[in-house]
Amino acid sequence: MGADDADEVLTVALDWDDLTYTRDITRRQLGELLLRLDDMAGDTSERTGQ
């Protein structure tokens, strides 16, 4: 992925309970968000012993 690709804007949609939340973010922001979610999942697994 080149530097130009990192600044490409994407639309992310989250659906739950018949409600949709959308937001435009860059690929760079999406990457940072996914890393945070991965860290949160790891912390949860450590606390629950899974």
Side-chain angles (χ1 to χ4, degrees):
M1 174 169 64
D4 293 335
D5 293 339
D7 293 323
E8 179 182 357
V9 176
L10 308 169
T11 300
V12 178
L14 302 172
D15 296 319
W16 71 95
D17 293 334
D18 298 324
L19 182 66
T20 301
Y21 172 78
T22 61
R23 183 162 181 175
D24 292 335
I25 62 174
T26 64
R27 285 184 180 267
R28 179 179 290 116
Q29 290 171 313
L30 177 59
E32 292 169 1
L33 175 61
L34 293 174
L35 287 173
R36 282 189 217 164
L37 290 172
D38 188 54
D39 289 344
M40 290 169 58
D43 291 345
T44 299
S45 294
E46 288 174 10
R47 279 189 255 134
T48 61
Q50 296 178 353

